[in-house]
């Protein structure tokens, strides 16, 4: 789980894009997926997703994410074809329109989720937040919140598993429980965890304050995020994707 | 110079003061070690010197604290922070960024250190703390000791005139602990950095700090130059503060021989003393 979002260093075209451009491409793919009603075009967008992963130099991870999404997609697909009542029946209660809608919904889901996961794994959080502040003038407070939240996810999971281990040692059988049962066993542990992380948040705020949090401005960042021709090309591709979705 | 005058501080909603009538002075370029049992108020003292008290921790504040002539009550926190660097006791809450490099950049960027100087300072801090190889790692992938070093490096990079450290060796092995103290000594001697360090390993304090303050229940039990404080070994022990064996040795010898021997803080000194006595 944590491994899925771990940053993969590299020097691919995607790595060299401005983080803001990467976000733009992601959004363009999403918009195109929702605008287009053409099944072939959607399939094409899916291919674009996979292509992004391969260009970024993380084919293995791309396929892992893809397979994971396919499982969810399959479930949704079945649900959809059983639910849609319009159109002419093809087989049992399945209609042609049901099949079509289901295919579109599922494709859209996969298309939208993939680039976000891919881009996050080739972009450092700090680069993303810094460039949002520098280029898009997002207030620093929001960027700070985002990056600290991401900073504390691994720690939160670590503490969670520590508490669970401690409980297991006391005879609580987490491993035997599944589904809702397991959830109801974990839930009571969340309270102490939340309290300890709230206390920590205070400390972290203090740590930021004594290192000049309030002095920071949009121009404080050491790393610069200039736009290059590469970004222009990516922006053009994004525009084409959306234009294609509208026209086809 | 750091001057704490008759400081009494009670955290908001608490009845008992965490610090009571604290007075102490650390000269420019001084090196003060602070020791004492849990809950003695050591962290609170550091918070008062760094300006976090009263700026971030509300409560009743009597007396005064001044750092290099600035009264912490009247000076804004960012202004004090330009002079004072603080390494927190809880390393994990001190580290803000998801990556090591960004953690070092954070303070440097905020305080507006000139662009061309930033890489120099970063490399220097990483090298001095001995973690140059960790630069591109994520914080989540580091051990506790490595994280502690990152926290120290991120403050050292700021080159503060006053350096406050709250149990900086808590997660470190003996060798790394010594390394940290050697670094403090280097900064103290070469750059004139004033150092206040809370430390439970008395051996390290004896060897490196010029002054020692023993806190107990919010009050200063003893303070002064390290050797004179160590004369109170038995009373210190009652507070749970162990003296190094060499110090105990010189004390026992003084008592047995009926003549005052100098207090030893290092094995070499004890060796010299014994040689002298045998002769
Ligand atoms: N944020 C706070 N709010 C209220 N009370 C606090 C706060 N921080 C500390 N205290 C109280 O102040 C007293 C001194 O605490 P402090 O943390 O300074 O002790 P310490 O000497 O650093 O202990 P330790 O060795 O455990 O770190 C304790 O009684 C503690 O409960
Ligand atoms: Mg403490």
């Amino acid at each position: 789980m944590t491994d899925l979002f771990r940053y993969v260093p590299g020097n691919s075209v995607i790595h060299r894009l401005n983080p803001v451009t990467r976000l733009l491409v992601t959004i363009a793919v999403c918009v195109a997926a929702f605008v287009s009603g053409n099944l072939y075009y959607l399939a094409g967008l899916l291919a674009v997703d996979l292509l992004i992963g391969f260009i970024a130099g993380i084919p293995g991870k791309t396929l892992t994410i893809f397979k994971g999404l396919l499982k969810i997609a399959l479930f949704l697909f079945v649900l959809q074809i059983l639910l849609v009542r319009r159109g002419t029946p093809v087989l049992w209660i399945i209609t042609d329109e049901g099949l079509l809608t289901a295919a579109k919904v599922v494709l859209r889901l996969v298309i939208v989720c993939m680039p976000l996961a891919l881009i996050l794994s080739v972009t450092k959080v700090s680069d993303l937040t810094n460039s949002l502040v520098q280029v898009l003038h997002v207030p620093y407070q929001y960027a700070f919140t985002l990056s600290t939240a991401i900073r504390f996810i691994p720690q939160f999971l670590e503490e969670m598993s520590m508490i669970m281990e401690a409980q297991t040692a006391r005879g609580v059988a987490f491993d035997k429980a599944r589904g809702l049962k397991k959830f109801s066993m974990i839930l009571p542990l969340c309270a102490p965890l939340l309290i300890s992380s709230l206390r920590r948040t205070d400390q972290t705020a203090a740590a930021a304050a004594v290192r000049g949090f309030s002095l920071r401005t949009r121009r404080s960042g050491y790393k610069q995020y200039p736009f290059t021709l590469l970004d222009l090309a990516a922006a053009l591709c994004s525009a084409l994707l959306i234009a294609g979705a509208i026209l086809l | 110079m750091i001057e704490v005058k008759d400081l009494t501080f009670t955290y908001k909603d608490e009845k008992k003061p965490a610090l009571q009538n604290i007075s102490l002075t650390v000269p420019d370029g001084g090196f003060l070690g602070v020791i004492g049992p849990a809950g003695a108020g050591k962290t609170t003292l550091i918070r008062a010197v760094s300006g976090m008290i009263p700026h971030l921790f509300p409560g009743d504040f009597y007396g005064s604290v001044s750092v290099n002539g600035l009264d912490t009550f009247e000076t804004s926190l960012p202004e004090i922070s330009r002079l004072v660097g603080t390494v927190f006791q809880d390393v994990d809450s001190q580290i803000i960024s998801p990556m090591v490099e960004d953690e070092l950049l954070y303070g440097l960027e905020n305080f507006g250190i000139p662009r061309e100087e930033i890489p120099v300072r970063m490399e220097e801090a990483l090298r001095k703390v001995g973690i140059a190889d960790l630069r591109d790692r994520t914080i989540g992938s580091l051990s506790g000791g490595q994280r502690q070093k990152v926290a120290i490096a991120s403050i050292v990079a700021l080159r503060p005139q006053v350096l406050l450290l709250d149990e900086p060796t808590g997660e470190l092995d003996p060798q790394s602990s010594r390394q940290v103290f050697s670094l403090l000594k280097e900064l103290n001697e070469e750059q004139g950095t004033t150092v206040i360090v809370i430390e439970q390993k008395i051996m390290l304090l004896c060897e490196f700090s010029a002054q020692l303050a023993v806190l107990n229940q919010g009050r200063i039990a003893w303070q002064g130059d390290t050797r004179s404080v160590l004369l109170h070994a038995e009373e210190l022990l009652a507070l749970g503060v162990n003296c190094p064996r060499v110090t105990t040795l010189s004390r026992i010898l003084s008592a047995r021989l009926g003549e005052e021997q100098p207090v030893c803080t290092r094995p070499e000194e004890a060796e010299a003393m014994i040689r002298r006595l045998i002769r």
Side-chain angles (χ1 to χ4, degrees), chain A residues 61-74:
Chain A
K61 203 168 190 174
T62 309
L63 292 180
T64 313
I65 297 173
F66 184 57
K67 275 186 217 147
L69 283 170
L70 270 190
K71 277 184 212 149
I72 306 171
L74 202 67

Side-chain angles (χ1 to χ4, degrees), chain B residues 146-272:
Chain B
Q146 289 173 324
R147 272 181 263 183
Q148 190 142 41
K149 290 183 188 173
V150 171
I152 296 171
S154 71
I155 301 301
V156 166
L158 299 174
R159 294 189 191 155
Q161 292 175 21
V162 176
L163 191 53
L164 309 176
L165 306 102
D166 196 343
E167 306 199 16
T169 68
E171 305 256 356
L172 299 182
D173 56 275
Q175 195 197 341
S176 299
S177 302
R178 276 197 71 85
Q179 200 188 342
V180 166
F181 269 80
S182 303
L183 170 61
L184 296 182
K185 182 180 171 183
E186 182 190 323
L187 296 174
N188 179 249
E189 287 175 354
E190 287 170 19
Q191 290 166 30
T193 310
T194 308
V195 177
I196 299 183
V197 56
I198 298 175
E199 177 57 65
Q200 298 294 0
K201 297 175 187 130
I202 183 82
M203 218 20 238
L204 288 172
L205 288 183
C206 285
E207 186 175 341
F208 288 95
S209 72
Q211 281 178 282
L212 202 61
V214 183
L215 277 186
N216 186 36
Q217 298 189 352
R219 295 174 185 276
I220 291 188
W222 287 279
Q223 67 166 320
D225 68 274
T226 302
R227 279 160 211 267
S228 68
V229 171
L230 289 175
L231 288 173
H232 303 277
E234 260 156 53
E235 293 113 306
L236 288 176
L237 197 60
L239 298 181
V241 176
N242 262 315
C243 283
R245 268 171 295 188
V246 281
T247 317
T248 314
L249 179 69
S250 55
R251 200 164 41 78
I252 291 174
L253 283 174
S254 308
R256 289 271 171 86
L257 299 173
E259 70 181 271
E260 207 54 38
Q261 300 298 330
V263 180
C264 304
T265 59
R266 266 178 291 165
E268 304 85 65
E269 291 173 356
E271 188 190 344

Side-chain angles (χ1 to χ4, degrees), chain A residues 6-8 14-15 22 56 58 117-124:
Chain A
R6 181 165 296 162
Y7 171 70
V8 184
I14 310 284
H15 282 93
R22 299 181 214 177
I58 45 170
L118 290 176
I119 293 292
L120 279 183
S121 45
V122 292
T123 308
K124 286 186 202 165

Side-chain angles (χ1 to χ4, degrees), chain A residues 10-25 55-56 226-239:
Chain A
N11 195 29
S12 70
V13 174
I14 310 284
H15 282 93
R16 276 179 281 148
L17 281 180
N18 189 305
V20 172
T21 314
R22 299 181 214 177
L23 216 53
L24 180 78
V25 174
I55 294 177
F227 286 98
T228 63
L229 280 180
L230 210 58
D231 293 297
L232 188 65
L236 278 178
C237 291
S238 304

